[in-house]
Amino acid sequence: MADLDVAVAGAGFAGIYAVHAFRSAGLTVRAFEAGSGIGGTWFWNRYPGARCDVESKDYSYSFSPELEQDWSWSERYPAQPEVLRYLNHVADRFGLWPDIQLNTRVTAASWDTDQAEWTVTTDDGASVTARFFVSAVGCLSAYQVPSLPGLETFAGPWYHTSRWPAGGVDFTRLRVGLIGTGSTGIQVAPEIAAVAEHLYVFQRTANFAVPNRNGATDPAWEAGFKADYRSYRKQAQKSFLGVPIAGTGRPALAEPPAEVQRTLTERWQAGGGMPFLGAYTDVLVDRDANDIVAEFMRDRIRETVADPAVAELLLPRTYPVGAKRLCQSDDYFAMFNRPNVTLVDIRSAPLTSVLARGLRTADAFYELDALVFATGFDAISGALNQIDVRGVGGVPLAEKWSAGPRAYLGVAPAGFPNMFIVTGPGSPSVFSNMVLSIEQHVEWIRDCVLYAGAHGYAAVQAKPSAEDAWMAHVTEVAYSTLFPLADSWYVGANIPGKPRVFTSYLGGVGPYRARCDAVAAAGYEGFALDRRLAMSSSVHPQAQLILDGMAAAGGPPIWEMTPEQARAMVTANNEHIGPGPDVASVRDVVIPGQAGGIPARVYSPAPGAPGVVVYYHGGGWVVGSVDGWDASVRALAVASGCDVVSVDYRLAPEHVFPAAADDAYDALEWAAGELADGRPVAVAGDSAGGNLAAVTALRARDLDGPALALQLLVYPVTDCDLDRTSYHEYDGAEFIVNRRDMAWYWDHYVPEPAARMNPYASPLRAPDMSGLPPLYLVTAEHDPLRDEGFAYADRMRAARVPVEHRHYGSQIHGFFSFVNLLDDADKAISEAGATIRAVAKG
Ligand code: N01
């Protein structure tokens, strides 16, 4: 058994939310974070001027309405320290720290097909096993320093913006060289210029930037969006970028030029990149439309920068605006009017070397005291490729990605079962509001993990064909836009030797979400769901001992026995079980039923029990008794803390259908009316008793009978169809029950085949499942009844009945009753008991 359900690499926005989401779903999770604090990007990028270019009201978690109401952002665009404070607040508020391991870098993760689990190794030499491995390492984490000859000889300090010293850097009276004029360089430059003796900005490619118009949060504005936050978030989920911005909805080329200028000016004045670029529908797909916007922006540079020669160098001309990430700044261009700032064009005269006292270009030498690299990242795949990730057959992820990173839906790389990537290649990721995309990804991954668990699938992996089709779609959409025209990190052009592939999904956040939801609704279409792996350990050794013992005892199969022989055999077998735990009181009662007295036994674990459980034993409606099930019912009483009424309903063939179902219902009415005294009541049962519990719940709903808090069905008989896959898989004599035994039981209980279709015999056939009490289902893998249990859960879910499903991958039919013999019996009873206890206590 794996140490964890989910191991997460990284504790930035994605890892933090993953811990919360997985843990809230009842999964065990640990996030490993290389940093000494949480925050990811916002932990590492603490250079002066670091600020988000998505508005704070959007760049924040939406999963908790209370959190979004309580937290107040001080500015329209939050600065790095505030984002980091926010993330620490979230970790405090939701108690996430115990499941986050700081100062620990994931170095390797490898998949073990036999065990269906990942082994995740960390740089402290430790390793853990986990059923699922989730990468939350981010898209822009692996920073890059260009290989400049002589860098090691530089006499002064040098820094990369993404590893900025926590205590800050004092540039006073220093001559500083800044390499890189992307989003980061543009933010850090004015901060350095404000204190340094001189700043030299080494520009290879001029960049576009729109103003932020940043400012302190206006309380009225904050109150306004908070009043409607929920519906605003819903709009964001359906929007194109994950931020609901209102464009004109028209192409710029169809608009009178003066009108276009007016709109662009308005949006320029208001600030912000998304509303500006999103003003017209054709800006990112039509070069002529793009040129209009680009020229508008070049005009703004010309009117800001005093020296026309410097302005000319700052004009971006080599790529469409937006095709490289649009920068945002209120003061970058104006900074070039300062006397202590020099723009150095390294496009025409490239950097050639670093010397002890400065930088040499093809035509000059610049004397410098400090160097700052704002030279970006090995984006999308870089951070994950730094981990030695190996999938099926030990294939390294880096090898799979040698021609470019890829993953089905941007989440699941084929060949890497049970591995998911938050905002991976093929997802909208960097083309969206990352926080919103992270939430969507994490929730989708969580649901997939839960689905796998509920259906007994040990492994979930993307089919190569699904991955191919998805990535072809990603490429097709990308090449219908102008994005691939720029030499950007989006296509890997900033990393020498990296394959040039565009791997972000440009189809929009809303359509992407809809696609992911549709895949899930179709039972995870495009994924191979592998139950066989769950059986790789085959029958649990303890259960195998029981099966071996029964085989050694010999004797005919049940279906060749008379009912009396079968009862005698079951009674003899049950003597090996138990004894169950002590309870405070046990009393035998006779319940007045419609057809006469129904013997029953009431187990009270302690005075003041919070609820009542009516329990129906298994035995195919033909065998079994309250005595035979004494141990497991005692254990359930203790585990649940509730009074349990174990019912000796009438058996077939002496009493055919619906005698047992009638007794079961009468027992419920008695327990609810005479015993419960207002306390919550649940029904429960195993095998044929699970059938009676399900039928009793149906009848209580149909007859407006007692309200039920829960139905606990343990490998229940839900249908008379003996042709399901699991019946054929376990048609041998070596299991507790097989297909012919079940036919024998049905023949005795409902001799008339047509009557078996009655939902009170085959509850799976009930036309409507809505309004039934929540289902807690226990199933075993090595059980002919396995699939009808799953089918019942599916129908319940479809009818929006809450379902909690525990599937035991190495267990056999009947295991729940083998108290003291099987560890899994004790575990299953204690888990089911805990749920009953929680339900009973409200
Ligand atoms: O990195 P970049 P970044 N010699 O790759 C230059 C996010 N972000 O850290 O364009 C000389 O964009 C390179 O030149 P060129 C945002 O998504 C967001 O700035 O390749 N120069 C370029 O000028 C952003 O897009 C925020 O010719 C070299 C610069 O270095 C992403 O992070 C803030 C060079 C790298 O620009 C990355 O931004 C900051 C070399 N050998 C970052 N190698 C906000 O939210 C590279 N360059 C506001």
Side-chain angles (χ1 to χ4, degrees):
M1 174 126 160
D3 301 326
L4 295 168
D5 291 319
V6 192
V8 177
F13 261 101
I16 290 169
Y17 184 48
V19 167
H20 178 64
F22 291 130
R23 212 176 60 180
S24 306
L27 299 163
T28 53
V29 57
R30 194 179 314 153
F32 299 95
E33 168 56 56
S36 59
I38 58 170
T41 267
W42 299 103
F43 174 85
W44 296 109
N45 289 276
R46 41 183 141 200
Y47 59 85
R51 184 179 293 286
C52 185
D53 61 2
V54 178
E55 288 188 29
S56 48
K57 73 177 190 309
D58 300 295
Y59 198 80
S60 48
Y61 289 122
S62 67
F63 69 83
S64 163
E66 295 75 28
L67 171 68
E68 68 186 5
Q69 288 297 327
D70 293 351
W71 181 267
S72 272
W73 293 99
S74 67
E75 291 177 278
R76 178 178 176 189
Y77 292 99
Q80 175 267 336
E82 188 168 22
V83 181
L84 200 54
R85 268 201 307 282
Y86 170 74
L87 289 172
N88 279 275
H89 167 77
V90 171
D92 289 344
R93 182 176 181 131
F94 295 98
L96 306 181
W97 295 108
D99 296 316
I100 298 175
Q101 191 171 320
L102 298 175
N103 299 305
T104 312
R105 180 179 289 280
V106 173
T107 53
S110 73
W111 169 250
D112 179 335
T113 299
D114 288 340
Q115 298 300 321
E117 64 189 25
W118 284 89
T119 300
V120 175
T121 308
T122 46
D123 61 356
D124 53 359
S127 62
V128 287
T129 54
R131 290 167 51 227
F132 292 86
F133 172 52
V134 172
S135 166
V137 297
C139 300
L140 293 160
S141 317
Y143 68 100
Q144 70 128 357
V145 178
S147 51
L148 286 176
L151 181 56
E152 68 288 353
T153 65
F154 185 59
W158 64 265
Y159 311 93
H160 191 284
T161 42
S162 191
R163 287 298 178 279
W164 205 256
V169 180
D170 183 5
F171 289 116
T172 320
R173 286 189 294 280
L174 298 186
R175 292 159 301 176
V176 183
L178 169 68
I179 303 174
T181 52
S183 301
T184 302
I186 279 178
Q187 287 186 332
V188 77
E191 303 288 329
I192 299 174
V195 292
E197 180 183 309
H198 202 94
L199 172 67
Y200 294 89
V201 178
F202 294 89
Q203 173 189 282
R204 190 164 69 179
T205 309
N207 232 324
F208 292 98
V210 291
N212 276 330
R213 313 288 180 209
N214 190 31
T217 298
D218 170 4
W221 172 74
E222 181 181 8
F225 72 74
K226 282 192 170 175
D228 206 20
Y229 226 153
R230 294 286 83 202
S231 68
Y232 181 80
R233 300 285 202 186
K234 284 258 168 306
Q235 287 174 47
Q237 290 177 356
K238 291 190 185 140
S239 70
F240 193 79
L241 291 168
V243 175
I245 52 164
T248 61
R250 297 184 299 274
L253 293 176
E255 195 97 328
E259 186 57 28
V260 174
Q261 294 298 313
R262 200 186 59 74
T263 301
L264 293 178
T265 305
E266 246 172 37
R267 290 182 180 231
W268 185 267
Q269 294 307 340
M274 289 180 177
F276 182 76
L277 267 194
Y280 291 104
T281 54
D282 49 358
V283 175
L284 294 171
V285 292
D286 186 301
R287 193 69 201 244
D288 292 336
N290 191 277
D291 280 344
I292 295 172
V293 179
E295 195 51 26
F296 175 93
M297 296 180 78
R298 287 192 280 263
D299 282 345
R300 303 289 79 73
I301 297 172
R302 290 184 186 104
E303 70 190 20
T304 305
V305 179
D307 181 336
V310 174
E312 185 57 31
L313 273 181
L314 287 168
L315 301 183
R317 293 191 186 279
T318 52
Y319 61 93
V321 58
K324 275 180 179 237
R325 169 71 173 238
L326 184 61
C327 302
Q328 287 187 205
S329 174
D330 287 330
D331 46 10
Y332 176 68
F333 293 114
M335 172 194 78
F336 288 96
N337 297 332
R338 296 177 64 111
N340 70 333
V341 176
T342 301
L343 180 65
V344 183
D345 174 20
I346 54 170
R347 169 79 52 191
S348 59
L351 290 172
T352 54
S353 58
V354 187
L355 303 177
R357 306 194 61 81
L359 273 182
R360 185 176 292 290
T361 68
D363 63 5
F365 175 72
Y366 296 87
E367 209 162 316
L368 300 170
D369 304 307
L371 261 179
V372 174
F373 290 97
T375 41
F377 304 86
D378 182 356
I380 314 281
S381 54
L384 205 39
N385 277 344
Q386 288 176 355
I387 302 174
D388 184 10
V389 182
R390 287 171 188 255
V392 173
V395 173
L397 185 67
E399 186 179 309
K400 173 188 163 74
W401 283 0
S402 57
R406 50 202 287 109
Y408 179 40
L409 295 178
V411 174
F416 293 75
N418 291 10
M419 172 178 174
F420 296 103
I421 306 171
V422 182
T423 61
S427 77
S429 67
V430 291
F431 281 95
S432 67
N433 169 5
M434 285 296 264
V435 182
L436 185 110
S437 284
I438 281 167
E439 287 187 317
Q440 183 264 338
H441 271 181
V442 167
E443 287 164 16
W444 191 91
I445 294 166
R446 174 202 63 198
D447 292 349
C448 184
V449 168
L450 293 177
Y451 180 91
H455 288 75
Y457 295 120
V460 177
Q461 62 172 316
K463 294 179 184 165
S465 56
E467 184 185 80
D468 289 348
W470 177 253
M471 292 311 290
H473 174 56
V474 169
T475 306
E476 187 189 357
V477 176
Y479 280 85
S480 66
T481 71
L482 301 176
F483 282 98
L485 298 184
D487 287 338
S488 65
W489 60 259
Y490 291 147
V491 293
N494 62 329
I495 302 295
K498 198 171 175 180
R500 189 181 178 107
V501 207
F502 195 95
T503 52
S504 295
Y505 184 53
L506 293 174
V509 162
Y512 171 79
R513 174 184 290 266
R515 176 67 184 263
C516 290
D517 289 349
V519 164
Y524 294 88
E525 190 181 17
F527 284 90
L529 302 164
D530 201 337
R531 191 199 294 288
R532 296 275 116 210
L533 279 167
M535 297 170 56
S536 59
S537 59
S538 68
V539 174
H540 193 287
Q542 291 174 333
Q544 192 60 54
L545 274 181
I546 291 175
L547 296 179
D548 293 347
M550 289 168 69
I558 284 198
W559 56 271
E560 281 184 1
M561 293 183 185
T562 64
E564 292 71 26
Q565 288 170 325
R567 287 171 193 158
M569 190 268 291
V570 169
T571 304
N573 283 346
N574 284 348
E575 308 221 311
H576 299 291
I577 298 176
D582 286 341
V583 294
S585 90
V586 178
R587 64 192 169 103
D588 286 333
V589 295
V590 176
I591 295 169
Q594 304 282 331
I598 308 164
R601 188 169 293 164
V602 182
Y603 300 81
S604 298
V612 173
V613 179
V614 186
Y615 195 90
Y616 311 107
H617 65 77
W621 309 283
V622 177
V623 302
S625 64
V626 163
D627 283 338
W629 267 247
D630 182 73
S632 53
V633 173
R634 278 173 183 270
L636 187 65
V638 169
S640 65
C642 292
D643 293 341
V644 182
V645 185
S646 182
V647 184
D648 242 336
Y649 53 87
R650 284 172 291 165
L651 297 180
E654 295 84 350
H655 304 280
V656 298
F657 173 78
D662 288 346
D663 286 357
Y665 189 72
D666 289 347
L668 168 65
E669 286 210 307
W670 175 83
E674 302 296 319
L675 190 64
D677 199 17
R679 291 176 293 163
V681 178
V683 286
D686 60 283
S687 193
N691 169 278
L692 296 176
V695 167
T696 301
L698 275 176
R699 292 178 107 177
R701 179 200 64 177
D702 296 348
L703 300 172
D704 253 344
L708 286 170
L710 187 78
Q711 47 181 329
L712 162 64
L713 308 186
V714 180
Y715 31 78
V717 182
T718 68
D719 194 30
C720 57
D721 176 3
L722 304 186
D723 248 342
R724 291 173 196 282
T725 308
S726 49
Y727 273 105
H728 292 286
E729 282 179 40
Y730 299 101
D731 199 17
E734 66 274 27
F735 290 98
I736 300 265
V737 66
N738 62 34
R739 191 159 174 259
R740 274 190 278 186
D741 295 337
M742 276 310 296
W744 182 88
Y745 286 127
W746 274 107
D747 286 345
H748 285 308
Y749 180 47
V750 196
E752 174 50 53
R756 295 176 196 170
M757 308 296 167
N758 185 327
Y760 294 157
S762 293
L764 190 62
R765 293 180 189 251
D768 176 16
M769 294 286 186
S770 59
L772 286 167
L775 168 65
Y776 185 102
L777 177 69
V778 176
T779 50
E781 177 65 28
H782 306 274
D783 180 359
L785 278 68
R786 179 192 72 204
D787 291 355
E788 62 195 280
F790 279 93
Y792 207 62
D794 285 345
R795 290 241 18 232
M796 290 287 196
R797 281 196 199 91
R800 303 200 176 282
V801 174
V803 175
E804 195 173 338
H805 183 174
R806 298 291 160 96
H807 181 70
Y808 289 77
S810 60
Q811 279 308 331
I812 54 176
H813 190 79
F815 84 96
F816 196 82
S817 302
F818 293 122
V819 177
N820 292 349
L821 295 177
L822 299 181
D823 292 345
D824 277 349
D826 302 333
K827 177 170 178 256
I829 291 174
S830 93
E831 285 176 355
T835 296
I836 294 172
R837 183 190 293 261
V839 167
K841 288 187 167 169

